[in-house]
Amino acid sequence: RALAVSLRQAVAKGELELYYQPQNDAATRQLVGFEALLRWNHPERGMVSPGEFIPIAEESGLICEIGEWVLREACREASTWAQPYRIAVNVAPLQLAQTNLPTIVHEALLNSGLGASRLELEITETGIIEDQTRALHVIRQLKSLGVRIAMDDYGTGYSSLATLKNFPFDKIKIDRSFVDGVNTDRQAAAIVRATIILGSSLDIPVLAEGVESEEHLAFLNAEGCHEVQGFYFGRPLAKKALDVMLAENA
Ligand code: G
Ligand code: G
Ligand code: MN
Ligand code: NA
C-alpha cells in the first residue's frame, strides 16, 4: 500500500529511470537494438525492481501513466543515438486495452522525431487474451503508424498458435526460462528449436532472451535463431553506461 502511494508520485518526482539492454544479431553478434527496462530509484529503498512495482502499477491503473512516460522517454533517448538502433518498449496489458494507445505512441514519435520503424512494442499474450478483437484493432492501428510489434515472453502464457496466426507480429521473443536449459534439458532444447522453426516458417524473426553463455549462443546459432539478448551480451545499462557502449560501437 505504502509503495502504491509513493509510486503515484514517483513519475512526477523523476524517480523512474530507464535501463537499456542490448539486443544482438545471433550470427554476426552485431548490436541491433536495446530493450528499455524500467527501474524505480526510490529515495529510501534504493533501486526497486519492476518485478516488485509493475504489479502494483497494474493493480492501481498507474501503469498507463507510467507506460506513457516510458514510451516518451525511450523514444526521446533513442532519437539521440548516432546509429539507427531499434528501441524495444514493454507495453502492459492495461495499456493495450486503452483505445488511445496509438495516439500516445504517435505523439511520442512526433515529439522525439524518432522514425516509427525504430520502435518495437513488446506485448504479452496476457495482453491480448482478454479482448482479442479490441487488441487486434489497437495493434493494427499501431502497425499502420509503422511501429513493430513483438510477442514477449513467448511460451509462458497461453501460447496459442491462433494468436500467432491472427496477430501481425514482427518478432517472437522466447522466454529465458526455456533458453536457460538448452544445453542441459532435452525438453527446453526441443521447445526452443521448435519455436525457432515456427517463427522462421511464419517469416517472423525469433529472439532468444536470457542468453548467458557461449554455449547458449552456439545452440541458438545452430538452430538458426535470429537475435539474442541476455547477460552474455550485456546487462541492462543505466544511461551513462549506455553512452559508453554507444561510443565504443560508433
Ligand atoms: O528488468 P527486469 O528483469 O527486472 O524486469 C522485470 C519485468 O518487468 C519484466 O517482465 C519486464 O518485462 C517488466 N518491465 C520492465 N520494464 C517495463 C516497462 O517499462 N513496462 C512494463 N509494462 N513492464 C516492464
Ligand atoms: O519480461 P522481459 O523479457 O521484458 O524482462 C526482461 C528481464 O530479464 C529484465 O528484467 C532483465 O533484467 C532480465 N534478464 C535479461 N537478461 C537476462 C539474463 O541473461 N539472465 C537472467 N537471469 N535475466 C535476464
Ligand atoms: Mn520484454
Ligand atoms: Na520477456
Side-chain angles (χ1 to χ4, degrees), residues 53-79:
F53 70 85
I54 296 275
I56 297 169
E58 282 177 337
E59 247 173 72
S60 57
L62 258 177
I63 192 68
C64 293
E65 190 186 332
I66 292 174
E68 192 171 336
W69 178 83
V70 171
L71 273 164
R72 275 191 272 112
E73 179 65 16
C75 289
R76 200 197 48 71
E77 172 62 31
S79 74

Side-chain angles (χ1 to χ4, degrees), residues 35-39 49-51 54 63 70 90-92 95 152-153 176:
E35 178 178 1
L37 293 159
L38 196 54
R39 298 289 183 264
S49 99
I54 296 275
I63 192 68
V70 171
N90 291 285
V91 171
Q95 286 178 273
D152 202 2
D153 301 335
R176 64 178 151 89

Side-chain angles (χ1 to χ4, degrees), residues 23 35-37 88-91 122-124 152-153 173 209 229:
Q23 299 180 327
E35 178 178 1
L37 293 159
V89 174
N90 291 285
V91 171
E122 299 193 358
I123 67 175
T124 59
D152 202 2
D153 301 335
K173 296 189 78 179
E209 297 186 305
Q229 178 181 342

Side-chain angles (χ1 to χ4, degrees), residues 92-143:
L94 211 57
Q95 286 178 273
L96 203 61
Q98 276 187 303
T99 46
N100 67 343
L101 182 64
T103 307
I104 291 168
V105 170
H106 190 47
E107 280 171 5
L109 290 169
L110 286 180
N111 291 337
S112 62
L114 186 76
S117 62
R118 290 181 55 197
L119 178 62
E120 185 166 274
L121 302 177
E122 299 193 358
I123 67 175
T124 59
E125 286 162 321
T126 345
I128 55 183
I129 211 77
E130 275 172 36
D131 189 341
Q132 291 241 10
T133 313
R134 183 169 171 160
L136 188 55
H137 180 68
V138 170
I139 287 167
R140 285 201 175 123
Q141 284 182 293
L142 291 167
K143 290 274 296 188

